[in-house]
Amino acid sequence: MKVKSVLVSQPRPAIIEKSPFYELAGKYDVEIAYRPFIRVVGVSLKEFRAQRVEILTHTAVIFTSRTTVDSFFHICEEARITVPETMKYICQTEAVALYLQKYIVYRKRKISFADGTFTSLLELIVKHKDEKCLLALSEPHKPELPETLAKLKLPVDPVILARTVAADLDDVHPADYDLLALYSPSDVKTLVERFGTERLPAVAVFGEGTLRTAVEAGIPVVANAPTPEAPSMAKAVDLYLAKVERGEEIVPVELIADLQKEEFIRTQQHKLAKRSRARRPAAESRK
C-alpha cells in the first residue's frame, strides 16, 4: 500500500513552504491538497438578541476561538454597545488572546490565556470565579466545557456567537485521495452527510470530539492527535505514513475515556465546595 495523496480539511497556507505538511510531501513523496469542509459565520444581531443575554451585565468574556472574538465585537458594534475598559478576557490560547489586539488595547491585567488544553482553561476560569463570565461559543460545539462549568456552579452564561455551515464540496471526490485529515466534528459530519461512510479513504483526526464523532459514525480512524507521541496533526500523519512505508499493520484508533480529566473535574468541585463552606462562617460572624 502506498499513500500518494492527502486531503487536509483546512485552508491552503499563505506560505506553503512554512506548513509542516510541506515537509511531509517531500519526505514521503506525497501530494498534499487543502480544502476546508466547513466555514464559520457569525450570528445575526436578531439571533443574538433571541438568546436574551446582556453583555454589559458580565465582567469577563471567555473566548475559545478567533471567530467568536470577531462575532462578539461585531455584535457590540451593531447593537451600539460600548464594552467597558474594565471588561476582562479569558482565552483558550495565546493566539486568541493576541488576536484581541484587533479590537482592544492589549493589557495583561485584563487578558489571560490558557495553553490550549481543557484542564488549563478550566483552571483559569476557576481562578476568576468571582467574575460573572460570558462564554462565547460556536454552534455546534463540544458540550464538555459549559456542562462542566454548570456542574461547578460557576457564574457563567453560554451564548452562541457563530455557526458552522458546510462548505461547497461539489468538486471534491474522496476517492481521489489516500488519506483525509479532519480537524473537527463538523468536518466528520459534513463528510458523512455529503459522501456517506462507504468506500472512504483512510481517515486521521484532530481532537477527542472529532475522534468520537468519527468512531460513532462507523469510520475507522488510522491516526489521531493530539497525543504524547503526536502533538499535532502533521506529526500524526507523519507517524502513519512511516508505518505504511515500513509495511506495518495499521490498527484503528480506539476511543478511551480520559480518566485524568474526570478526576481533575472532581478535584475542582471539591475545592470550590470547600471554599464555599469556609466563606459561610466568616459571613455569619460579620452579621
Side-chain angles (χ1 to χ4, degrees):
M1 174 183 167
K2 168 67 176 174
V3 177
K4 298 180 180 179
S5 58
V6 178
L7 178 61
V8 180
S9 66
Q10 295 280 287
R12 182 181 175 83
I15 304 176
I16 196 70
E17 291 80 8
K18 290 188 176 182
S19 167
F21 286 102
Y22 179 78
E23 297 180 10
L24 297 184
K27 183 178 180 181
Y28 296 100
D29 189 26
V30 298
E31 180 183 343
I32 307 293
Y34 298 88
R35 186 61 178 273
F37 279 33
I38 58 173
R39 58 190 181 92
V40 182
V41 296
V43 300
S44 67
L45 181 59
K46 182 179 179 181
E47 289 174 305
F48 170 76
R49 284 176 170 164
Q51 299 178 71
R52 301 185 180 279
V53 173
E54 295 293 336
I55 290 175
L56 297 181
T57 61
H58 298 82
T59 59
V61 186
I62 303 168
F63 288 119
T64 57
S65 70
R66 287 180 290 186
T67 302
T68 52
V69 171
D70 285 332
S71 186
F72 174 80
F73 286 100
H74 175 74
I75 288 292
C76 289
E77 181 181 7
E78 197 172 351
R80 297 182 180 178
I81 297 172
T82 301
V83 182
E85 292 188 2
T86 54
M87 184 72 80
K88 294 182 179 180
Y89 303 93
I90 302 169
C91 304
Q92 187 167 25
T93 64
E94 183 179 11
V96 175
L98 292 173
Y99 189 72
L100 281 166
Q101 294 178 102
K102 181 177 178 181
Y103 299 98
I104 63 172
V105 176
Y106 191 97
R107 292 194 183 97
K108 288 186 177 180
R109 64 180 175 80
K110 69 175 183 178
I111 299 176
S112 53
F113 57 86
D115 63 8
T117 64
F118 174 84
T119 53
S120 175
L121 178 59
L122 191 58
E123 282 182 324
L124 192 57
I125 297 171
V126 170
K127 183 179 178 181
H128 292 83
K129 63 184 181 302
D130 294 327
E131 305 289 344
K132 185 176 182 184
C133 297
L134 187 68
L135 174 59
L137 297 169
S138 294
E139 184 64 46
H141 59 269
K142 291 171 63 176
E144 183 179 38
L145 182 58
E147 287 179 357
T148 301
L149 295 175
K151 192 182 296 183
L152 295 176
K153 298 180 180 179
L154 293 173
V156 178
D157 294 321
V159 61
I160 303 299
L161 292 183
R163 299 191 187 282
T164 301
V165 298
D168 181 4
L169 300 176
D170 286 347
D171 59 342
V172 173
H173 305 286
D176 293 343
Y177 304 93
D178 301 303
L179 177 68
L180 304 179
L182 308 179
Y183 279 78
S184 72
S186 295
D187 284 342
V188 177
K189 291 175 182 176
T190 298
L191 176 70
V192 173
E193 290 172 1
R194 184 71 178 78
F195 304 105
T197 58
E198 300 294 327
R199 300 178 183 176
L200 290 177
V203 171
V205 301
F206 185 88
E208 181 185 337
T210 313
L211 174 60
R212 183 181 301 278
T213 304
V215 171
E216 291 177 349
I219 299 174
V221 175
V222 299
N224 72 305
T227 68
E229 299 80 18
S232 68
M233 175 69 93
K235 185 58 179 179
V237 172
D238 187 357
L239 294 174
Y240 170 73
L241 294 177
K243 289 179 181 178
V244 172
E245 198 169 76
R246 293 193 298 266
E248 294 183 14
E249 180 183 359
I250 306 298
V251 180
V253 178
E254 294 184 359
L255 186 63
I256 301 173
D258 191 337
L259 299 179
Q260 286 185 333
K261 186 184 292 182
E262 293 174 4
E263 178 59 31
F264 173 77
I265 293 172
R266 283 194 293 269
T267 301
Q268 293 299 323
Q269 284 179 303
H270 177 70
K271 287 181 179 179
L272 289 170
K274 189 174 180 180
R275 289 172 187 167
S276 180
R277 287 194 297 269
R279 283 176 182 166
R280 285 176 199 151
E284 290 173 358
S285 65
R286 288 195 295 269
K287 291 181 180 179

